[in-house]
Amino acid sequence: MGITISTDNSKLNIDFIHQFLTKAYWAKGRTKEEVKNSIEHCLNFGVYLNGEQIGFARLLKDYTVFAYLMDVFIIENYRGNGYSKQLIKTIVEHSELQKVHRWMLATKDAHGLYKQFGFEELPDPNLMMTKWT
């Protein structure tokens, strides 16, 4: 049986998402309240297999100019089945996101996945700035 990908926030298992993220290299130590707050302000994609959540991604967006993809994961037991590809395909083909001009994300280890969907390294990283607090 295939997976289901939904943007229905009422289906999201916040405890499951928090448990994964708090151990992920990019979100280590994120509190449950921070996870809830970040979900509340994004377009979220839950990944489900037989009704059980096995993955997640969220998108900070304005539906026109900019979309930033974050917190993408499939839990380890279900990796290698193409679910990440299905998730990213669903996101980039989402009907409400077709006018977005600039997509961004940050990854340490999944470049190959994202390149399949048109993402590439910044041609001129000097144009981008960051502020960490």
Side-chain angles (χ1 to χ4, degrees), residues 7 43-45 59 63 88-99 103:
T7 57
L43 175 61
N44 304 290
F45 295 82
L59 196 68
Y63 293 110
I88 302 306
K89 184 178 191 301
T90 299
I91 294 168
V92 299
E93 292 180 356
H94 190 282
S95 62
E96 295 179 23
L97 301 170
Q98 295 313 296
K99 293 183 180 181
W103 291 72

Side-chain angles (χ1 to χ4, degrees), residues 63-95:
Y63 293 110
T64 305
V65 177
F66 186 75
Y68 191 86
L69 184 57
M70 297 177 277
D71 295 339
V72 179
F73 70 88
I74 300 293
I75 58 174
E76 192 169 344
N77 292 353
Y78 296 98
R79 293 180 189 160
N81 295 303
Y83 300 149
S84 293
K85 289 178 187 175
Q86 288 179 260
L87 174 58
I88 302 306
K89 184 178 191 301
T90 299
I91 294 168
V92 299
E93 292 180 356
H94 190 282
S95 62

Side-chain angles (χ1 to χ4, degrees), residues 10-121:
S10 70
K11 294 182 177 182
L12 294 172
N13 181 334
I14 304 299
D15 290 330
F16 164 81
I17 296 166
H18 173 253
Q19 183 179 18
F20 182 91
L21 290 178
T22 195
K23 297 173 187 166
Y25 73 82
W26 68 87
K28 211 173 272 282
R30 195 177 293 172
T31 69
K32 190 171 178 181
E33 282 306 309
E34 289 170 328
V35 169
K36 283 182 184 178
N37 191 42
S38 68
I39 287 171
E40 184 178 317
H41 296 285
C42 286
L43 175 61
N44 304 290
F45 295 82
V47 183
Y48 307 90
L49 183 63
N50 301 324
E52 176 188 355
Q53 189 166 359
I54 63 164
F56 175 75
R58 67 186 180 95
L59 196 68
L60 184 64
K61 78 294 175 242
D62 65 11
Y63 293 110
T64 305
V65 177
F66 186 75
Y68 191 86
L69 184 57
M70 297 177 277
D71 295 339
V72 179
F73 70 88
I74 300 293
I75 58 174
E76 192 169 344
N77 292 353
Y78 296 98
R79 293 180 189 160
N81 295 303
Y83 300 149
S84 293
K85 289 178 187 175
Q86 288 179 260
L87 174 58
I88 302 306
K89 184 178 191 301
T90 299
I91 294 168
V92 299
E93 292 180 356
H94 190 282
S95 62
E96 295 179 23
L97 301 170
Q98 295 313 296
K99 293 183 180 181
V100 172
H101 299 293
R102 179 178 302 251
W103 291 72
M104 295 193 74
L105 60 85
T107 185
K108 184 164 63 170
D109 56 5
H111 296 76
L113 169 65
Y114 297 113
K115 283 183 178 184
Q116 295 175 57
F117 297 94
F119 288 89
E120 56 190 37
E121 288 84 3

